[in-house]
Amino acid sequence: MAVETNTESREKSLNFLEEIIEESIAKGEKRIQTRFPPEPNGYLHIGHAKSICINFGLAKKYGGKCNLRFDDTNPVKEDVEYVDSIKRDIKWLGFDWAIERYASDYFDQLYDWAVELIKKGLAYVDDQTQEQIRENRGTVSVPGTPSPWRDRTPEENLDLFVRMKNGEFPDGSKVLRAKIDMAHPNMLFRDPIMYRIIHAEHHRTGNKWCIYPMYDYAHGQSDSIEQITHSICTLEFDVHRPLYDWFIQALDIFPSHQYEFARLNLTYTMMSKRKLLKLVQEGAVMGWDDPRMPTICALRRKGYTPASVRNFAEMVGVAKRDNVIDLGKLEYCVREDLNKVAERRMAVLNPLKVVITNYDEGKTELFEAVNNPENEAAGTRKVPFSREIYIERDDFMENPPKKFFRLQPGGEVRLRYSYLIKCEEVVKDAEGNIIELRCTYDPMSGDGSSSDGRRVKGVIHWVSVKDAVEAEVRLFNPLFTKENPDDVEEGQTWEDNLNPDSMVKVTGYLEPSLLEIPVGQAVQFERVGYFCPDTDTTPEHPVFNRTVTLKDSWAKINK
RNA sequence: UGAGCUGUGGUGUAAUGGUAACACAGCAGAUUUUGGUUCUGUCGUUCCAGGUUCGAGUCCUGGCAGCUCAACCA
C-alpha cells in the first residue's frame, strides 16, 4: 500500500507580482520585460536594493529581461556622479541589465507625441503662474477651476509650444498641460503638467533642450518605447497609474502596465533621499558611503556581502502593506552569510594586559588556529604567543556574578587555541583601577588538554603584546536613537533623533595576519563580531569597520 | 471629510471556501576550545459588527483604522 508522504518539498508560494506574471503568461504573453528606473539624483539605498532584486529577479525567473533606465527628466537635480554610483551598486549586488537607457534618450519622441496631443486638442499651453496653477487645482474635496488659457486653439497651442522649445520664454512663464478634467476626483487628472521650461544644462543632452517633460508624461511612454510588460514601482505611485494608462491610450502606443508594491522601511533608519542628502551635506556622516548610512555603497563599505543583501530582500517578501522591517533582520542576514564565509581572527578591542609569570621571557610559540570552523578548506594559520598578552577587559571580573565563565581571581580559563591560564594576582594603580593581571599557565595544556584532565568552561581570545598590530576600529551603532526617526517631540526635528554614539572609535590590538585582509572583506574577530578593513585604511594606519556584532547571549543574561 | 491603496503573532510573509504556516525576534534547554554556529522545545495571530455557508482570514453588507495624492520633484 502506498503511504502518502509529505516529504516532497512543497512548492514555494508566489508573491502577488509572480502571480500577475504567471497569469499574463497563461494568457499568452511570450516575453517578460521589466526595468529598474532610478532618478540619478542620489545614491541607491537598501530600499532600492529590494526593488532591484524584484525587477531583475522577476525577469530572471521568467526568462525575461530587465533594463536599466535613468529617469533623468529634471536636469537641476541630476548628475553623472549618481549614474556612475548607481551602475556600480547594481553590479555589486550581482545583477546586470539588458540595455542601459535614459529617459532623455526619448526627448525627441516625447516632444513629437506632445505635438500630436496638442493637435488632437488634448494638450494646451498655460500662462498661469505656478501659484495660480496651484490655487486653481482645488483641493481633495474642492474641484479645481479651469485656466483662462484652457481653450486656446490647437494652432495657437502648437505655436506657443514650439516657441517654448525654442527658448523664447523664461523659466516658469508657461507650461504645457494635458487637457483632462479640472474637477476629477484624482488630483493627478486635473490637467497635469506635461512640460515645464527649465533653462539648465542637462548631464546628457547639454543645452539642446530648455523644456523638460514631467515624470507622469515621461515614465509610461518610456516604458512603452522599451516595450516593458511589467512596470513595477512602489505604492505611492498607485494614484499615477490611471494617468500612466491615459497617456498610453491617448497616444495609442505599446500598452505597458504598472504594478505597485510596498516600499521597504527599516527601523532606526530612514530612506528619504532628501534627508540622507542633508546628512551628507551637513557633515553628520562622512559621506554617502558612511557605514552608518542605509545606502548600498555604505553597506558594502561596512562589510556586507551582496548575497546577504539579496537574501534580505528575499526574506522581507513583496506585498502591498506598509511595513517596517526590524533592523535585526538585516543583521541576521549578514551574520548568516558571514558565518559561512568569513575567516576567524583574534583581536582585542578593550585591552587588559596579562603577564604569564611562569612563561619564559623572550620566548615565542606559534599556535595553529582554524581559519573557519564552518569551512575546512579555509585551512589554518599560526598565531604567535608570548609571556605578555592582551585579553578583553570584559573577560575578567574581580567579583563576578553567577555563571560568569571567564577569568576571575583564582580562576582558570582556556586561551583560545592555546594554554590554560590561572589568575594569581590582580595589579591595581593608586586609584584602584585594574591595570594588569598576573597569571600562571599549565604547560601541559597547549594541545587542548590539561595536565590532570580537568575541564575548563571559559574560553577567551587574546593577542600577544609584542606581536600585536594596532588599528583604529570603528564601532557602528544605529544612526538614530528611535525605531522611527520621524517620531519627534514637539518642537524637535528628526535630526534630534540622531544617535550621538552611532560611531565609536577605539584602538584595537590585532593578530598580525589581519594586516593581509583586503579592504571590504569581512573577517570575524572571534567572540566579538565581523569586521573589515575600511577604505580609509593604510599600511601605516589600519582602519577596521565593525560590520555587525556577534549574537551575545551573555550580554542578555548579564543585563 | 473626494479618490486610491492596505488591514493575519512583537516584526515580516504565507494559507486562493476545508487543521492559520514559515522566517526573524523572545523564552527554555542540549552540544560547543567563539556565551558564536548547530539542534530541540516553547510562547503567541486573522481590525470590528452583522450576513451567506456544513464550514469564512478568504465571499457579501456596513463600520473602523493606517497610508498615498492638492511640486513647474521622481
Side-chain angles (χ1 to χ4, degrees), chain A residues 370-403:
Chain A
V370 172
N371 283 332
N372 185 353
E374 308 292 322
N375 175 18
E376 207 177 319
T380 61
R381 68 186 185 283
K382 304 285 190 188
V383 185
F385 178 84
S386 64
R387 188 170 193 262
E388 295 190 346
I389 60 173
Y390 290 124
I391 66 167
E392 214 70 66
R393 273 189 179 268
D394 290 349
D395 286 339
F396 175 80
M397 282 185 91
E398 200 170 15
N399 300 296
K402 282 193 177 64
K403 289 170 88 178

Side-chain angles (χ1 to χ4, degrees), chain A residues 354-386:
Chain A
V354 172
V355 178
I356 298 160
T357 53
N358 57 339
Y359 195 85
D360 289 349
E361 214 146 342
K363 179 179 174 184
T364 295
E365 275 180 276
L366 292 175
F367 282 98
E368 186 165 55
V370 172
N371 283 332
N372 185 353
E374 308 292 322
N375 175 18
E376 207 177 319
T380 61
R381 68 186 185 283
K382 304 285 190 188
V383 185
F385 178 84
S386 64

Side-chain angles (χ1 to χ4, degrees), chain A residues 29 83-84 98 108-109 118 130 158 231 242 247 254 256 277 317 383 412 452 454 467 477 498 551:
Chain A
E29 182 72 75
V83 343
D84 292 342
D108 285 297
Q109 175 66 266
I118 290 171
Q130 188 165 178
L158 191 53
S231 177
F247 280 118
F254 179 86
S256 294
L277 177 63
V383 185
E412 201 172 24
D452 58 1
R454 68 190 184 285
D467 298 292
N477 295 306
L498 279 166
K551 270 173 66 177

Side-chain angles (χ1 to χ4, degrees), chain A residues 323-339:
Chain A
N323 61 80
V324 184
I325 310 292
D326 193 328
L327 182 59
K329 199 164 252 177
L330 217 210
E331 297 185 337
Y332 167 82
C333 289
V334 234
R335 287 194 192 103
E336 186 192 26
D337 191 39
L338 257 19
N339 177 52

Side-chain angles (χ1 to χ4, degrees), chain A residues 213-232:
Chain A
M214 296 285 288
Y215 168 84
D216 282 309
Y217 181 67
H219 200 92
Q221 289 94 303
S222 300
D223 283 343
S224 181
I225 291 168
E226 294 175 23
Q227 306 218 336
I228 302 299
T229 56
H230 299 265
S231 177
I232 297 160

